[in-house]
Amino acid sequence: MREKLAMVRLEASTVLDLGCGEGDELSHLKQRFPEATIFGVDGAEMMLKEGKKTELAAHSGMERLLKHVLPSSWKASSKHHLFCANFAQIPLASDSADVIWSNLALHWHPQPDLALKEWRRVLRVGGLCMFSCFGPDSMRELREAFAAIDRAPHMLDFVDMHDFGDMTVHAGLATPVMDMEKITLRYERVERLLQDVRALGGSPLPQQHELRVSKSAYRKLISLLEATRGADGRIPLTFELVYGHAFKPPATKRENGESIVQFVPRK
């Protein structure tokens, strides 16, 4: 994502990190757009609170470090702002952001098509929308193990890259570019693998719908995953990473359906 963003020439005054979690990418976005106001948005309030604690601790430490060389009236300013919101209901005005950045978060939303439409609303004309998420071949080793136990929906169904491309177009974004890569992580312990799957969004099902396995089924799951250890003695877990970016084009229709026609005068 950082490499792809570095290839885009774009000035920005307002940047949104949608699905910022604890805010790990906010500092990088500030470096890329030093003059911009950075907003971190996430649907998990507890993660935002943890991110705010980390920011305040670092902020306080920097003030103590520099207080001997800077004027006593100097006060550090906050680099970014954090708030909790649904991706498809962002509490910002239309045409208010120059960049929307969303790294490994869109697959958490149950209706990504609505989220993309909302992102288009918030973007200014010419603004950039850049996102990444998991594709359908992600965590196939774990899916196969669960399938051998029962038919319950223990994991999310991820959207195909081409479907995301169609959603982006239908949302009203222009010139979408989609690509994909696969990586394989290798684990020493099954427990750590399962922890990462849940943290990364492999099984964020609502608690009331999450179907738990019995102790015997869980032991079978562990056994099936243990059987996948490779020559290096580690357990593989594949991830299909989908990347996409697009821009907001000028409007061609008004809200009432009337077409907008622009005339260019002859010189």
Side-chain angles (χ1 to χ4, degrees):
M1 285 282 282
R2 292 182 181 182
E3 292 173 356
K4 294 177 185 299
L5 182 61
M7 297 173 63
V8 180
R9 293 186 178 183
L10 181 69
E11 298 297 324
S13 60
T14 304
V15 177
L16 304 184
D17 181 356
L18 299 180
C20 67
E22 295 183 8
D24 294 339
E25 289 296 312
L26 296 176
S27 296
H28 169 72
L29 291 172
K30 190 63 178 179
Q31 292 175 3
R32 174 64 178 80
F33 302 105
E35 303 301 320
T37 300
I38 312 294
F39 291 92
V41 184
D42 201 281
E45 187 175 4
M46 290 304 299
M47 295 191 73
L48 291 172
K49 288 181 178 180
E50 288 300 316
K52 193 64 177 178
K53 287 180 183 179
T54 302
E55 178 192 6
L56 291 174
H59 207 57
S60 177
M62 183 60 70
E63 285 187 326
R64 290 196 299 270
L65 179 65
L66 298 179
K67 69 178 182 180
H68 299 295
V69 296
L70 293 176
S72 58
S73 59
W74 177 85
K75 292 291 184 182
S77 60
S78 178
K79 291 185 177 181
H80 44 257
H81 309 277
L82 304 177
F83 61 91
C84 185
N86 185 324
F87 291 172
Q89 295 176 319
I90 303 171
L92 291 176
S94 299
D95 307 310
S96 59
D98 301 291
V99 175
I100 285 180
W101 160 285
S102 182
N103 190 17
L104 292 181
L106 188 54
H107 55 260
W108 283 81
H109 199 281
Q111 294 180 287
D113 56 327
L114 298 184
L116 288 168
K117 288 181 180 179
E118 175 72 347
W119 297 4
R120 179 196 180 280
R121 179 191 69 80
V122 173
L123 276 176
R124 295 189 178 105
V125 172
L128 170 69
C129 171
M130 179 173 284
F131 63 90
S132 67
C133 50
F134 291 138
D137 205 32
S138 294
M139 312 178 199
R140 57 179 176 79
E141 297 89 351
L142 184 56
R143 291 180 188 277
E144 291 170 359
F146 271 126
I149 295 174
D150 57 39
R151 296 183 180 180
H154 296 284
M155 303 178 66
L156 284 180
D157 290 325
F158 298 121
V159 178
D160 182 79
M161 176 182 70
H162 300 94
D163 292 333
F164 265 123
D166 291 341
M167 288 182 194
T168 302
V169 173
H170 292 157
L173 295 167
T175 60
V177 176
M178 307 294 301
D179 62 333
M180 177 271 290
E181 68 173 333
K182 290 185 180 181
I183 63 173
T184 300
L185 304 183
R186 311 189 76 82
Y187 291 84
E188 291 184 355
R189 298 185 300 109
V190 173
E191 292 77 12
R192 180 56 189 272
L193 180 152
L194 295 176
Q195 289 174 4
D196 281 1
V197 165
R198 187 163 186 82
L200 289 169
S203 181
L205 299 175
Q207 191 69 28
Q208 64 269 30
H209 297 301
E210 186 174 355
L211 301 178
R212 300 182 181 278
V213 299
S214 64
K215 290 183 178 180
S216 60
Y218 182 76
R219 287 194 295 268
K220 183 177 180 180
L221 177 70
I222 298 298
S223 177
L224 289 169
L225 292 173
E226 288 284 357
T228 66
R229 288 187 184 272
D232 59 357
R234 293 173 178 263
I235 304 167
L237 186 64
T238 300
F239 288 89
E240 178 184 346
L241 301 177
V242 173
Y243 303 96
H245 73 264
F247 296 87
K248 180 174 179 176
T252 58
K253 288 187 177 182
R254 302 183 188 278
E255 291 184 1
N256 60 7
E258 294 179 348
S259 297
I260 299 174
V261 180
Q262 296 183 349
F263 294 93
V264 179
R266 293 182 179 180
K267 294 184 179 180

